[in-house]
Amino acid sequence: MENLLKELKKENKERERRLNIADRKILTDMMGYMKAKKVCEYDVEQVRRTIIRNTLKSYNRKKNLEILSGGDYQAYCDRLCADMRGASSKELILTRGVTVILAVALMYGVRLLDVILGGGNFMKEPVEMSLGYLLGTLAVLLGTLVIYAYVQKILKGNSKTMTTAQGLGIGVILILIVAAAYAGVYFLSDVHLFYIVWWIPAVVLLAVYVVFRILYIQHVNMLAKES
């Protein structure tokens, strides 16, 4: 299936290698800033292409991206993104959905590993699902969403770097996530809910992931052709 966003990202990645190290660092910060604005991902990559092209041209005039942006990359991005399309509800649902699917898959992989470490064989026997495991998984998912929202809020701010207090805030959230997940597993693992054959969740997660990816690619291709 044609994937116009993937092709554009590949093109940008190849051209980005021609930038110097300092400019690549600034460009990474720019991408984080623009994505925090919840705009169309394809448009972000188009702006990224424009920034790379303008920066490479500036080298001929003995300038760089920091000079080109006037020392304020956020204002520079705002000017370039003036006509950028906002991310639709469909795009947000599909992208967030893929993240959730991958997070659940990771937690399920941890559960299968736990079975092996406990001396079991999940390929021969059904996997037990306890209340503690499900609550631990829920704690990790909710915690991940909280961290994501927190980082998005930081990127939307005026500061170009993360402050010590903000870094500590993320650390505290991580500690709370681990503590909540561990508490659920430790105190409620004895509360049995059901058994399930190991490959059923794997097949379901893979199928849902593929569907979400196909729908997202189709959606972005449509946006790319409209731009």
Short mmCIF file of all heavy atoms in Angstrom, two decimals, residues 1 4 9 16 20 46 48 56 71 79 85-86 114 125 132 145 149-150 159 163 168 171 176-177 195 205-206 213 215:
data_model
loop_
_atom_site.label_atom_id
_atom_site.label_comp_id
_atom_site.label_asym_id
_atom_site.label_seq_id
_atom_site.Cartn_x
_atom_site.Cartn_y
_atom_site.Cartn_z
N MET A 1 0.84 -1.20 0.00
CA MET A 1 0.00 0.00 0.00
C MET A 1 0.88 1.26 0.00
O MET A 1 1.85 1.33 0.74
CB MET A 1 -0.92 0.01 1.23
CG MET A 1 -1.77 1.28 1.35
SD MET A 1 -2.71 1.35 2.88
CE MET A 1 -3.84 -0.02 2.62
N LEU A 4 2.34 7.75 1.64
CA LEU A 4 2.96 9.03 1.30
C LEU A 4 3.67 9.68 2.48
O LEU A 4 4.70 10.34 2.30
CB LEU A 4 1.90 9.98 0.74
CG LEU A 4 1.22 9.51 -0.56
CD1 LEU A 4 0.15 10.50 -1.00
CD2 LEU A 4 2.26 9.33 -1.67
N LYS A 9 8.76 11.18 5.14
CA LYS A 9 9.65 11.07 6.30
C LYS A 9 11.02 10.54 5.89
O LYS A 9 12.06 11.01 6.38
CB LYS A 9 9.03 10.15 7.36
CG LYS A 9 7.91 10.77 8.17
CD LYS A 9 7.45 9.82 9.25
CE LYS A 9 6.43 10.47 10.17
NZ LYS A 9 6.00 9.57 11.27
N GLU A 16 18.10 15.49 6.17
CA GLU A 16 18.48 16.00 7.47
C GLU A 16 19.93 15.64 7.82
O GLU A 16 20.59 16.35 8.58
CB GLU A 16 17.53 15.44 8.54
CG GLU A 16 17.72 16.04 9.92
CD GLU A 16 16.71 15.51 10.91
OE1 GLU A 16 15.58 15.19 10.49
OE2 GLU A 16 17.06 15.41 12.10
N ASN A 20 24.23 20.21 10.10
CA ASN A 20 25.23 20.00 11.15
C ASN A 20 24.55 19.53 12.43
O ASN A 20 23.31 19.58 12.55
CB ASN A 20 26.07 21.27 11.38
CG ASN A 20 25.22 22.44 11.86
OD1 ASN A 20 24.38 22.31 12.74
ND2 ASN A 20 25.46 23.62 11.27
N GLN A 46 5.85 18.27 6.00
CA GLN A 46 6.06 19.22 4.91
C GLN A 46 6.82 20.45 5.39
O GLN A 46 7.72 20.94 4.71
CB GLN A 46 4.71 19.64 4.31
CG GLN A 46 4.06 18.58 3.43
CD GLN A 46 2.83 19.11 2.72
OE1 GLN A 46 1.96 19.70 3.34
NE2 GLN A 46 2.76 18.93 1.41
N ARG A 48 8.76 20.45 7.96
CA ARG A 48 10.12 19.95 8.25
C ARG A 48 10.97 19.98 6.98
O ARG A 48 12.14 20.39 7.02
CB ARG A 48 10.02 18.52 8.78
CG ARG A 48 11.36 17.87 9.12
CD ARG A 48 11.14 16.42 9.50
NE ARG A 48 12.37 15.72 9.77
CZ ARG A 48 12.47 14.39 9.91
NH1 ARG A 48 11.37 13.65 9.79
NH2 ARG A 48 13.62 13.82 10.15
N LEU A 56 19.71 24.41 4.59
CA LEU A 56 20.79 24.03 3.67
C LEU A 56 21.17 25.20 2.77
O LEU A 56 22.35 25.42 2.48
CB LEU A 56 20.37 22.82 2.83
CG LEU A 56 20.24 21.49 3.60
CD1 LEU A 56 19.69 20.40 2.70
CD2 LEU A 56 21.60 21.06 4.17
N GLY A 71 16.86 33.04 16.52
CA GLY A 71 17.09 32.70 17.92
C GLY A 71 15.83 32.29 18.66
O GLY A 71 15.87 32.01 19.86
N ARG A 79 5.35 30.85 12.27
CA ARG A 79 5.19 31.50 10.97
C ARG A 79 5.05 30.46 9.85
O ARG A 79 4.22 30.62 8.95
CB ARG A 79 6.40 32.41 10.69
CG ARG A 79 6.48 33.64 11.57
CD ARG A 79 7.46 34.65 11.01
NE ARG A 79 8.83 34.12 10.95
CZ ARG A 79 9.70 34.22 11.96
NH1 ARG A 79 9.33 34.78 13.10
NH2 ARG A 79 10.92 33.73 11.81
N ARG A 85 -2.94 22.51 8.77
CA ARG A 85 -4.24 21.96 9.16
C ARG A 85 -4.16 21.30 10.54
O ARG A 85 -3.17 20.67 10.88
CB ARG A 85 -4.68 20.90 8.13
CG ARG A 85 -4.98 21.45 6.77
CD ARG A 85 -5.15 20.36 5.74
NE ARG A 85 -3.88 19.65 5.48
CZ ARG A 85 -3.72 18.74 4.53
NH1 ARG A 85 -4.74 18.40 3.76
NH2 ARG A 85 -2.55 18.15 4.37
N GLY A 86 -5.21 21.49 11.32
CA GLY A 86 -5.26 20.85 12.62
C GLY A 86 -5.52 19.35 12.49
O GLY A 86 -6.14 18.91 11.52
N ASP A 114 6.45 -13.41 32.64
CA ASP A 114 6.25 -13.74 34.05
C ASP A 114 5.88 -15.21 34.23
O ASP A 114 6.30 -15.86 35.18
CB ASP A 114 5.15 -12.83 34.63
CG ASP A 114 4.93 -13.08 36.12
OD1 ASP A 114 5.91 -13.02 36.88
OD2 ASP A 114 3.79 -13.35 36.51
N GLU A 125 -0.17 -24.51 28.46
CA GLU A 125 -1.25 -24.32 29.43
C GLU A 125 -1.85 -22.92 29.27
O GLU A 125 -1.14 -21.98 28.88
CB GLU A 125 -0.73 -24.48 30.86
CG GLU A 125 -0.13 -25.86 31.14
CD GLU A 125 0.50 -25.92 32.50
OE1 GLU A 125 0.56 -24.85 33.17
OE2 GLU A 125 0.95 -27.01 32.90
N GLY A 132 -5.06 -8.31 39.75
CA GLY A 132 -3.85 -7.53 39.96
C GLY A 132 -3.16 -7.20 38.66
O GLY A 132 -2.71 -6.06 38.45
N LEU A 145 -0.63 7.98 29.54
CA LEU A 145 -1.43 9.09 28.99
C LEU A 145 -1.19 10.37 29.77
O LEU A 145 -1.12 11.46 29.19
CB LEU A 145 -2.91 8.72 29.03
CG LEU A 145 -3.35 7.58 28.10
CD1 LEU A 145 -4.83 7.25 28.32
CD2 LEU A 145 -3.11 7.96 26.63
N ALA A 149 0.34 13.80 28.20
CA ALA A 149 -0.34 15.09 28.31
C ALA A 149 0.55 16.12 29.00
O ALA A 149 0.57 17.30 28.62
CB ALA A 149 -1.65 14.92 29.09
N TYR A 150 1.31 15.67 29.99
CA TYR A 150 2.20 16.56 30.74
C TYR A 150 3.33 17.10 29.84
O TYR A 150 3.62 18.30 29.84
CB TYR A 150 2.78 15.82 31.94
CG TYR A 150 3.64 16.67 32.85
CD1 TYR A 150 3.08 17.70 33.61
CD2 TYR A 150 5.01 16.45 32.96
CE1 TYR A 150 3.86 18.48 34.46
CE2 TYR A 150 5.80 17.22 33.80
CZ TYR A 150 5.21 18.23 34.55
OH TYR A 150 5.98 19.00 35.39
N SER A 159 9.06 28.09 27.41
CA SER A 159 10.42 27.65 27.68
C SER A 159 10.90 26.69 26.59
O SER A 159 10.17 25.81 26.15
CB SER A 159 10.49 26.96 29.05
OG SER A 159 11.78 26.45 29.28
N THR A 163 12.59 22.47 32.59
CA THR A 163 13.14 22.94 33.86
C THR A 163 13.36 21.78 34.81
O THR A 163 12.85 20.67 34.60
CB THR A 163 12.19 23.96 34.51
OG1 THR A 163 10.96 23.28 34.86
CG2 THR A 163 11.88 25.11 33.57
N LEU A 168 11.52 16.82 37.51
CA LEU A 168 11.13 16.14 38.75
C LEU A 168 9.67 15.71 38.70
O LEU A 168 9.30 14.65 39.22
CB LEU A 168 11.36 17.07 39.95
CG LEU A 168 12.82 17.35 40.33
CD1 LEU A 168 12.88 18.40 41.44
CD2 LEU A 168 13.51 16.06 40.77
N GLY A 171 9.49 12.57 36.89
CA GLY A 171 10.02 11.51 37.75
C GLY A 171 9.01 11.05 38.78
O GLY A 171 8.86 9.85 39.03
N LEU A 176 4.93 7.05 40.72
CA LEU A 176 3.53 6.74 41.06
C LEU A 176 2.99 5.63 40.16
O LEU A 176 2.24 4.75 40.62
CB LEU A 176 2.67 7.99 40.93
CG LEU A 176 2.93 9.09 41.96
CD1 LEU A 176 2.08 10.32 41.65
CD2 LEU A 176 2.64 8.59 43.38
N ILE A 177 3.36 5.65 38.87
CA ILE A 177 2.90 4.61 37.95
C ILE A 177 3.43 3.25 38.38
O ILE A 177 2.68 2.27 38.48
CB ILE A 177 3.38 4.92 36.51
CG1 ILE A 177 2.68 6.16 35.97
CG2 ILE A 177 3.11 3.73 35.59
CD1 ILE A 177 3.24 6.64 34.65
N TYR A 195 -8.91 -17.70 32.60
CA TYR A 195 -7.77 -18.25 31.87
C TYR A 195 -8.00 -17.98 30.38
O TYR A 195 -9.13 -17.90 29.92
CB TYR A 195 -7.63 -19.76 32.09
CG TYR A 195 -7.15 -20.15 33.46
CD1 TYR A 195 -8.06 -20.56 34.45
CD2 TYR A 195 -5.78 -20.12 33.78
CE1 TYR A 195 -7.61 -20.92 35.72
CE2 TYR A 195 -5.34 -20.48 35.04
CZ TYR A 195 -6.26 -20.88 35.99
OH TYR A 195 -5.81 -21.24 37.24
N LEU A 205 -4.67 -8.45 19.14
CA LEU A 205 -3.89 -7.21 19.17
C LEU A 205 -3.25 -6.93 17.81
O LEU A 205 -3.24 -5.79 17.34
CB LEU A 205 -2.80 -7.30 20.25
CG LEU A 205 -3.29 -7.19 21.69
CD1 LEU A 205 -2.16 -7.54 22.66
CD2 LEU A 205 -3.80 -5.79 21.98
N LEU A 206 -2.73 -7.97 17.17
CA LEU A 206 -2.10 -7.81 15.86
C LEU A 206 -3.14 -7.36 14.82
O LEU A 206 -2.87 -6.46 14.02
CB LEU A 206 -1.45 -9.12 15.42
CG LEU A 206 -0.78 -9.10 14.03
CD1 LEU A 206 0.32 -8.06 13.99
CD2 LEU A 206 -0.24 -10.48 13.67
N ARG A 213 -3.47 0.79 11.51
CA ARG A 213 -2.41 1.29 10.64
C ARG A 213 -2.92 1.53 9.22
O ARG A 213 -2.60 2.55 8.59
CB ARG A 213 -1.24 0.31 10.62
CG ARG A 213 -0.38 0.33 11.87
CD ARG A 213 0.27 1.67 12.08
NE ARG A 213 1.13 2.04 10.96
CZ ARG A 213 1.64 3.25 10.78
NH1 ARG A 213 1.32 4.24 11.62
NH2 ARG A 213 2.43 3.52 9.75
N LEU A 215 -6.02 2.12 8.25
CA LEU A 215 -6.92 3.27 8.26
C LEU A 215 -6.14 4.58 8.35
O LEU A 215 -6.50 5.58 7.70
CB LEU A 215 -7.91 3.17 9.43
CG LEU A 215 -8.96 2.07 9.32
CD1 LEU A 215 -9.79 2.00 10.60
CD2 LEU A 215 -9.87 2.30 8.11
#
